[in-house]
Amino acid sequence: MAAATAAPLPSAGRLVLKRGALELKSFFRTKGQFIVIFSLPAIMLMLLGAMQSGKPDFNGVTGAQILTAGMIGAGIMGTTFQNLGINVALERHDGTLKRLYGMPMPRIAYFGGKVIQVLVCMVAEVALLVVVGVLMFDVQVPGTLDRWLTLAWVLLLGGVACTLLGIAVGSLPKSARGANAIITLPFLIVQFISGVYMPFSDVPAFLQFIASLFPLKWMTQGMRSVFLPEHAAALEPAGSWQLPMIALVLAAWCVGALLLCMKTFRWTAKDS
């Protein structure tokens, strides 16, 4: 009688998909986290955008429309960098990462699952903010193929860069309690200097220089090129959208953040 053959082990790609499904289920079941991540940016856009009504526009472009593009960029970073960084830190300090490390599971499955979760949430967040902008502030959906392509590569490069940064920054908190403050505070500061809440040309020059060192400034600029009229490029400090520069900076951040992850990521807390 022939010996029974062992069932083949699932491939790494299949494990990534299964881990991604598990991460998504866990995220949507955590109602508090789900509501804050998705509702807060939309609520802020509605409130701050309403405050812009009645104010003079900028060559036919309203402050609410500029705000919408900025909030879309911030929404990308919030669902990737902030959300992922906090979750990785919490999982490290509650022992989840240590248990996963001891399981016979390819390491890529954990990271792939996280990437799937944040990218799905990122696309959903962007869609929600676009709907709010269109319905409340007359933001125009991209009407040409080149604008849709720009939206796609800014989403991809910005999402990948901020996802990798989130994994890397998740190693900074020394305790679970400090994760929120350590990761959220710099994110809020970068928002204020990156043209999220006001035209970037209104930001003081020295803060513009600091903002240009981080991906959020370039993501918001890319989103303005997608959702604002072409003549709105005159509102940028450079007088143009600088799309090649945006692509170059975001691609460089993807590479740099990946190297940073490889250097700093650890599966256990330092005190364990």
Side-chain angles (χ1 to χ4, degrees), residues 34-50:
F34 168 75
I35 292 173
V36 169
I37 288 177
F38 279 101
S39 66
L40 185 59
I43 291 173
M44 288 182 64
L45 175 57
M46 288 186 283
L47 293 176
L48 296 176

Side-chain angles (χ1 to χ4, degrees), residues 175-254:
S175 68
R177 290 183 178 182
N180 205 321
I182 290 176
I183 295 170
T184 300
L185 180 59
F187 174 48
L188 290 175
I189 294 173
V190 171
Q191 285 184 69
F192 277 100
I193 66 175
S194 297
V196 172
Y197 303 112
M198 66 185 73
F200 189 64
S201 56
D202 290 349
V203 176
F206 77 98
L207 291 179
Q208 288 184 19
F209 173 76
I210 296 173
S212 67
L213 301 177
F214 298 95
L216 183 56
K217 179 266 182 187
W218 301 99
M219 289 155 56
T220 57
Q221 188 169 322
M223 289 302 161
R224 289 193 292 274
S225 77
V226 171
F227 292 102
L228 299 185
E230 190 61 38
H231 67 265
L235 298 173
E236 301 294 329
S240 68
W241 296 127
Q242 297 180 293
L243 294 182
M245 179 63 73
I246 293 173
L248 180 62
V249 172
L250 292 181
W253 266 106
C254 290

Side-chain angles (χ1 to χ4, degrees), residues 141-188:
V141 175
T144 59
L145 178 60
D146 61 329
R147 290 201 171 203
W148 281 109
L149 290 175
T150 299
L151 174 62
W153 64 255
V154 172
L155 275 175
L156 178 62
L157 291 178
V160 170
C162 291
T163 296
L164 293 171
L165 280 175
I167 295 173
V169 81
S171 299
L172 291 179
K174 296 182 179 180
S175 68
R177 290 183 178 182
N180 205 321
I182 290 176
I183 295 170
T184 300
L185 180 59
F187 174 48
L188 290 175

